[in-house]
Amino acid sequence: MKKLVFFLFFSLTVLATPSFGKDVPRIVNFINFVRDIEPRDDDITPQVLFETVKSEAEAIHQYGFRGTWLLQYDALIDSNYQTLMKEEIAHGCEVGGWWEITQPHVEDAGYTWRGRFPWDWHADKGFSVGYTQEERERLVDIYMEKFKEIFGKYPSSIGSWFIDAHTMAYMRDKYGIEGCCICRDQVGTDGYTLWGGYWAGAYYPSKVNAYMPAQTREGQIDLPVFRMLGSDPLYQYSAGVGGAVQSVCTMEPTYEKAQQPEWVEWYLRCQTDDPALGFTYFQAGQENSFTWDAFKNGYDVQLPRIASLQKQGKLRVETLQETARAFKKKYPLTPATACTALSDYTDKQGRTLWFNSRYYRMNILWEGSRMGIRDIHLFNEKAESQYYRGVCTSNQCVYTTLPIVDGCLWSTEDAMASLRFYVQDENGQAKELQGSEPFITQTGKSMSVRWPLVDRQGDILLHLTESRFTVTCTDKTLQWYMQLNVQPQARLPFLTIGGHTLKAEQDGFPYQLTLHRGIFTDLRPQKGQAFRIQPEKGKVEMNIR
């Protein structure tokens, strides 16, 4: 009885408090997605998968948490999961859909299954991109009818490693889906590449590209899409440089880092204490295919620390539906957000700032006394995905945006691509600027950085807003400039570079970056260099919209 009273008080308190208030909310969703079959390992039977979900539920309820359970169709039609999920709903948890396509789902829709196993993780078999628009709609209808038959209503949340815009819009318009979650940024992991998107938090996708943030109400699907898995803001990005398959450095409790108390405490400190804009968001939880024995240790490390932070009022545990509703209530368009890491758990002395808006994303990295912009990707709602009308015919899936700087794909371990800061010495030679600890602050709806220079009387000042990025130096006599260095064999998208404009093309889609102040110089004839930006009247100002 005491547990029930505590649970009701906890639930009413959480539900009564709005997520997106005046302060910067720090939010976590426990999202566990559920399969009923695991063909990759004979020892992982349906019973093992079911017991894993029960153990996950017991673990989160021990701390009073309410999770989001996303059911693959094969789990949805299993009576054991139906009973368990109704119990979870009674606990205040959310039950939604996990959008990987399985044999019973396809056959119940009246189609022929093409997979190697009843669940096949290849992109052209196990995901919506492998089906025509008509087939996608039919698969949605079958799932929704079955879900409502079991639970009495349609789901509010849908998750998938990746999903197409047509399916998203159909779910939103016909069935009222309120929130969606997709995979973090990654290169090649499991055959899936999602690269250059809104790094963390949530965005409204383009009507023709589920991975591309939209810029207008008319061009967006009115469905917030959240990035899953809780990526390490310092080192996940550069894992697998040059296009190699990335390793995993996230909060997924199966993996090494997420079972280390020191790393988990560092990650949570970044999420709750370091400067941020808008809100910070990450996902905890795990798919049941990994089994309880593999990720119990991660839960044992993470859950009490998350509970402690929630008790202190520094972190909010919500369901995906609650977070999505609050997001949509506050933001009619994709907001500008930022997250930071002002400490490092290695000896590299890393610091980083991730900035996202509906127009672009940017990442600034400090390593000891060096500073560089290692990522700039532009967003354009008119860039139609190959999967919007077309059907994926490969076991690989690729979603990208529009790169200006790519510190992963244009790099090698020995030649990391970055837009760095230089000065000419008295002999006319380029010398990289060195600085001390950066000062990062939230200023209204923007982020400001002051980087004190070493051995010079001045600071580099950076200012990031929704649609502009500016750089100045307080030492007006310093002849500084910015230069993009890349590995010599990098395949760059640039067509022309010069004056105030850089023009480029990605997958046949033309785009450009314009300098309101500053001059581009094309350096591509020199191996390992792309372009230089010379300030005008002491300022570089990018107009990014």
Side-chain angles (χ1 to χ4, degrees):
M1 185 66 185
K2 289 182 179 179
K3 288 184 178 179
L4 177 60
V5 171
F6 168 77
F7 171 74
L8 290 172
F9 173 79
F10 175 84
S11 299
L12 290 171
T13 301
V14 171
L15 289 171
T17 307
S19 296
F20 297 100
K22 293 181 180 179
D23 298 327
V24 176
R26 317 291 180 132
I27 300 167
V28 55
N29 294 161
F30 277 93
I31 298 177
N32 304 287
F33 42 103
V34 182
R35 303 185 180 110
D36 197 32
I37 186 172
E38 177 46 74
R40 295 169 292 187
D41 188 336
D42 291 339
D43 291 333
I44 303 178
T45 64
Q47 186 61 32
V48 170
L49 294 171
F50 181 73
E51 292 299 328
T52 294
V53 175
K54 287 181 63 178
S55 296
E56 285 183 282
E58 291 168 2
I60 66 172
H61 294 325
Q62 180 183 350
Y63 292 92
F65 297 148
R66 296 169 304 114
T68 293
W69 302 95
L70 301 180
L71 303 182
Q72 196 167 264
Y73 187 83
D74 54 345
L76 176 67
I77 61 176
D78 185 319
S79 60
N80 290 322
Y81 285 110
Q82 293 171 12
T83 300
L84 179 60
M85 289 300 114
K86 288 176 182 177
E87 294 172 358
E88 289 301 291
I89 291 172
H91 272 288
C93 293
E94 175 190 13
V95 178
W98 181 249
W99 213 249
E100 289 181 334
I101 311 303
T102 60
Q103 183 172 354
H105 192 176
V106 168
E107 291 178 347
D108 283 357
Y111 302 127
T112 301
W113 175 243
R114 297 178 280 109
R116 300 165 298 165
F117 316 104
W119 167 61
D120 190 334
W121 54 92
H122 282 179
D124 57 336
K125 313 294 195 310
F127 293 87
S128 63
V129 296
Y131 299 83
T132 66
Q133 289 188 349
E134 180 182 357
E135 290 170 336
R136 295 170 197 175
E137 292 180 8
R138 177 63 176 159
L139 289 168
V140 171
D141 291 340
I142 289 298
Y143 188 97
M144 296 300 177
E145 290 167 10
K146 180 61 68 174
F147 192 98
K148 188 174 183 181
E149 175 188 318
I150 296 165
F151 297 110
K153 70 178 190 65
Y154 297 126
S156 295
S157 299
I158 294 289
S160 182
W161 293 129
F162 51 91
I163 193 168
D164 68 283
H166 183 83
T167 297
M168 275 187 185
Y170 187 73
M171 289 177 171
R172 173 70 187 96
D173 295 343
K174 186 171 181 179
Y175 295 101
I177 293 297
E178 298 181 79
C180 183
C181 58
I182 64 169
C183 186
R184 63 175 169 86
D185 259 38
Q186 63 179 36
V187 176
T189 309
D190 296 326
Y192 319 142
T193 293
L194 299 92
W195 195 248
Y198 200 97
W199 172 260
Y203 66 96
Y204 291 110
S206 161
K207 288 183 176 178
V208 296
N209 192 328
Y211 186 64
M212 183 76 73
Q215 289 72 59
T216 66
R217 290 294 298 269
E218 296 75 23
Q220 76 183 24
I221 302 172
D222 221 16
L223 175 69
V225 176
F226 292 81
R227 304 307 302 272
M228 298 171 65
L229 307 179
S231 291
D232 180 323
L234 278 173
Y235 298 115
Q236 178 63 71
Y237 178 88
S238 56
V241 295
V245 174
Q246 286 193 323
S247 56
V248 177
C249 191
T250 72
M251 278 287 282
E252 294 172 270
T254 297
Y255 292 101
E256 179 184 3
K257 293 293 186 189
Q259 297 187 6
Q260 296 175 354
E262 298 79 10
W263 184 88
V264 171
E265 288 169 0
W266 169 84
Y267 180 86
L268 293 175
R269 188 165 60 250
C270 294
Q271 291 292 319
T272 58
D273 291 347
D274 288 349
L277 175 65
F279 66 101
T280 67
Y281 171 88
F282 70 97
Q283 174 229 332
Q286 188 73 71
E287 60 198 286
N288 63 334
S289 293
F290 282 107
T291 75
W292 180 243
D293 288 343
F295 60 79
K296 177 184 181 298
N297 290 341
Y299 261 40
D300 288 344
V301 170
Q302 294 179 18
L303 295 183
R305 288 165 172 81
I306 291 173
S308 176
L309 290 168
Q310 179 168 253
K311 186 177 181 179
Q312 297 172 53
K314 299 175 72 172
L315 186 64
R316 295 181 52 81
V317 180
E318 300 178 343
T319 66
L320 178 56
Q321 179 193 47
E322 290 168 351
T323 307
R325 282 181 175 176
F327 180 93
K328 190 171 181 182
K329 183 177 181 180
K330 183 173 179 65
Y331 301 116
L333 293 163
T334 297
T337 63
C339 57
T340 60
L342 298 188
S343 61
D344 196 346
Y345 56 92
T346 76
D347 59 4
K348 296 179 181 179
Q349 296 181 295
R351 309 285 189 272
T352 197
L353 163 63
W354 280 99
F355 186 89
N356 305 276
S357 80
R358 56 186 159 137
Y359 296 106
Y360 71 106
R361 83 173 191 188
M362 181 178 293
N363 179 240
I364 306 170
L365 179 70
W366 290 266
E367 298 171 291
S369 62
R370 305 177 73 198
M371 176 177 73
I373 299 171
R374 66 172 171 176
D375 189 275
I376 303 174
H377 278 75
L378 309 185
F379 304 144
N380 191 316
E381 66 188 25
K382 296 179 182 178
E384 184 174 310
S385 166
Q386 61 181 315
Y387 308 122
Y388 176 61
R389 303 175 202 273
V391 175
C392 177
T393 58
S394 167
N395 62 358
Q396 307 287 312
C397 174
V398 178
Y399 273 109
T400 58
T401 60
L402 309 172
I404 298 294
V405 177
D406 195 320
C408 179
L409 299 186
W410 300 348
S411 298
T412 64
E413 292 288 353
D414 298 324
M416 297 296 292
S418 186
L419 184 60
R420 296 197 176 274
F421 293 76
Y422 294 89
V423 65
Q424 285 189 338
D425 63 20
E426 60 274 10
N427 299 317
Q429 299 297 311
K431 185 177 181 180
E432 186 174 347
L433 288 172
Q434 305 290 309
S436 57
E437 194 77 9
F439 295 88
I440 304 175
T441 56
Q442 173 196 351
T443 53
K445 295 184 179 180
S446 62
M447 296 296 286
S448 296
V449 178
R450 179 170 67 86
W451 185 46
L453 298 176
V454 174
D455 300 327
R456 298 181 185 276
Q457 298 300 314
D459 304 330
I460 296 292
L461 305 178
L462 313 175
H463 191 62
L464 299 94
T465 73
E466 180 183 59
S467 60
R468 289 208 171 185
F469 171 63
T470 59
V471 187
T472 57
C473 181
T474 59
D475 181 354
K476 303 304 181 183
T477 66
L478 192 65
Q479 301 299 305
W480 62 277
Y481 61 91
M482 304 164 69
Q483 182 169 302
L484 175 58
N485 303 316
V486 299
Q487 63 102 343
Q489 282 73 47
R491 298 179 61 183
L492 304 178
F494 309 135
L495 301 176
T496 61
I497 303 172
H500 290 96
T501 306
L502 178 153
K503 294 185 178 182
E505 184 177 286
Q506 174 89 343
D507 297 327
F509 185 83
Y511 61 100
Q512 68 179 42
L513 176 64
T514 301
L515 297 178
H516 184 68
R517 284 195 189 178
I519 300 296
F520 280 115
T521 300
D522 191 346
L523 301 180
R524 286 177 296 173
Q526 305 174 53
K527 288 187 176 181
Q529 298 179 5
F531 59 77
R532 180 177 298 169
I533 302 176
Q534 201 78 31
E536 283 186 305
K537 297 181 180 180
K539 178 184 284 191
V540 169
E541 185 172 352
M542 297 181 183
N543 185 19
I544 313 178
R545 61 185 306 165

